């Protein structure tokens, strides 16, 4: 067999000679690839008695040539290897063993697919069970401090109200205004075919008083505030600040969770009210400029034909949505394991779960109110 630089194949033996170091990596790599292309060459015995200097780069090439399992077996069985060289080869073999993948990927079987679905359902069940338990723990802590005003965290509550409510006011108002204008424009386009463009006022009013005002505000808080809660508590959990509170005899539920939950429950009704007004204002402007419905006429129809219970239904859902969104954000933050990757994963999970629960609860509430005739 021909000699290939530092790598020689003679009969059933691979002979490694000269220096296998980083400086010679560019010359050694083609030789290793050529040997790998020779079918069965890597199954030969290895003679590294003539091997010169060896570093981690050269050991990695040897591991690529022989495979991590075979390199481990050869290094452990060869008594002629120096101890430091044996440890280097074993360390590189262990490090590269997890990087080797099976080149043949098979499609999952029906059993594996069903097992994956089952694991997903089991994880979803455990997550909902944990959420229910955390809701109970939050309510217990809330009932414990309500009769004790000295334990109220008013400074923290006011600070979270500012960050949750006041700072979110412009984006909520802008978004609902634009959605109100879009709803009015689409409604007018459809109703014009029936000569009933005047009912665009009813469409906008019903939509924002019952649904859009509270749902859009809750979804914005789910993406803006629930993620912030998760990131804040997750960072505290990663830095062991939550454990420090417990070691100091302080309750993290009382110190961290309750102010955030109460702040969102106070802020979301106000944001919902602002969202209702902004959405109706956007629809009013579209009606004024596109349908020749004056502001006075719009407000007259709104006062005469839209019952108050629609406003109360929309506003009544706000504290429930706020409680669920805040609890999910805090729970995901306290579930962080301690790494930056875990903080990112749970932040994403809190946003997805919050938006899902808001839409689910809104659908259930819509069916309930429809059956009740409210």
């Amino acid at each position: 067999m021909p000699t290939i630089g530092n790598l020689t194949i003679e009969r059933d033996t691979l002979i490694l000679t000269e220096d296998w170091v980083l400086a010679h990596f560019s010359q050694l790599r083609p030789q290793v690839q050529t040997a790998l292309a020779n079918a069965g060459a890597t199954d030969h015995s290895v003679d590294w008695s003539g091997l010169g200097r060896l570093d981690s780069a050269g050991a990695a090439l040897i591991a690529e040539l022989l495979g991590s399992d075979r390199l481990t077996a050869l290094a452990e069985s060869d008594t002629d290897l120096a101890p430091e060289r044996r440890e280097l080869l074993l360390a590189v073999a262990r490090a590269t063993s997890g990087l080797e993948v099976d080149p043949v990927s098979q499609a999952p079987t029906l059993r594996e697919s069903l097992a994956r679905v089952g694991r997903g359902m089991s994880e979803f069940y455990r997550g909902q069970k944990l959420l229910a338990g955390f809701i109970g723990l939050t309510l217990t802590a809330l009932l414990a401090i309500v009769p004790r005003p000295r334990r109220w965290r008013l400074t923290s509550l006011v600070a979270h109200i500012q960050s949750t409510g006041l700072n979110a006011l412009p984006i909520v108002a802008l978004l609902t205004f634009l959605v109100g204008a879009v709803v009015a424009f689409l409604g007018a386009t459809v109703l014009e075919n029936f000569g009933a463009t005047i009912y665009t006022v009813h469409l906008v009013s019903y939509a924002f008083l019952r649904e859009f005002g509270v749902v859009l505000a809750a979804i914005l808080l789910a993406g803006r505030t629930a993620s912030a809660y998760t990131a804040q508590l997750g960072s505290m959990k990663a830095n062991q600040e939550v454990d420090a509170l417990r070691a100091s005899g302080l309750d993290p539920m009382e110190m961290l969770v309750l102010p955030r939950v109460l702040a969102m429950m106070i802020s979301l009704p106000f944001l919902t009210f602002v969202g209702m007004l902004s959405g109706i204002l956007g629809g009013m402007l579209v009606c004024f400029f596109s349908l020749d419905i004056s502001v006075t006429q719009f407000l007259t129809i709104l006062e005469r034909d839209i019952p108050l219970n629609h406003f109360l239904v929309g506003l009544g859902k706000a504290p429930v949505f706020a409680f669920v969104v805040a609890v999910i954000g805090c729970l995901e933050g306290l579930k962080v394991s301690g790494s930056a990757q875990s903080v990112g994963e749970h932040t994403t999970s809190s946003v997805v779960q919050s938006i899902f629960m808001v839409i689910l609860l809104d659908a259930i509430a819509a069916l309930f109110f429809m059956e009740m005739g409210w």
Side-chain angles (χ1 to χ4, degrees), residues 2-3 21-22 63 95 116-117 129 133 147 161 186 188 219 262 291 310 316 331 363 371:
T3 300
V21 293
L22 180 61
R116 187 180 298 112
V117 173
K129 184 179 179 180
I161 289 176
L186 294 178
I219 290 177
L262 293 177
L291 305 178
H310 299 300
L331 173 61
E371 293 296 328

Side-chain angles (χ1 to χ4, degrees), residues 365-374:
L367 294 175
F368 174 76
F369 291 136
M370 182 180 64
E371 293 296 328
M372 296 297 294
W374 293 351

Side-chain angles (χ1 to χ4, degrees), residues 152-317:
W152 295 355
R153 306 286 175 178
L154 295 180
T155 303
S156 178
L157 177 63
V158 173
H160 287 301
I161 289 176
Q162 179 182 1
S163 62
T164 301
L166 294 180
N167 295 345
L169 195 60
I171 185 63
V172 171
L174 176 62
L175 179 65
T176 50
F177 175 83
L178 296 176
V179 173
V182 171
V183 170
F185 180 78
L186 294 178
T189 302
V190 175
L191 293 173
E192 186 178 8
N193 297 327
F194 305 95
T197 54
I198 192 65
Y199 288 104
T200 305
V201 180
H202 300 74
L203 173 64
V204 173
S205 301
Y206 281 126
F208 277 89
L209 291 178
R210 293 185 68 96
E211 300 294 337
F212 284 166
V214 61
V215 171
L216 290 177
I219 290 177
L220 278 175
L221 286 190
R224 180 184 182 276
T225 307
S227 60
Y229 286 176
T230 303
Q232 292 167 4
L233 296 182
S235 298
M236 296 181 68
K237 184 75 178 297
N239 296 329
Q240 298 183 344
E241 296 177 35
V242 178
D243 297 332
L245 287 176
R246 291 194 179 99
S248 302
L250 300 175
D251 185 8
M253 295 295 298
E254 181 180 336
M255 295 284 295
L256 304 176
V257 176
L258 289 183
R260 289 173 167 80
V261 173
L262 293 177
M264 188 172 288
M265 292 181 67
I266 294 172
S267 300
L268 187 56
F270 288 102
L271 293 176
T272 299
F273 180 71
V274 171
M276 292 175 179
L277 294 182
S278 299
I280 292 175
L281 178 61
M284 182 190 302
L285 292 180
V286 171
C287 291
F288 178 75
F289 288 107
S290 299
L291 305 178
D292 293 330
I293 299 177
S294 65
V295 175
T296 303
Q297 186 179 6
F298 188 99
L299 295 177
T300 301
I301 296 173
L302 181 64
E303 179 185 5
R304 183 191 63 199
D305 297 341
I306 310 301
L308 181 64
N309 68 293
H310 299 300
F311 170 75
L312 297 178
V313 165
L315 202 62
K317 293 187 287 188

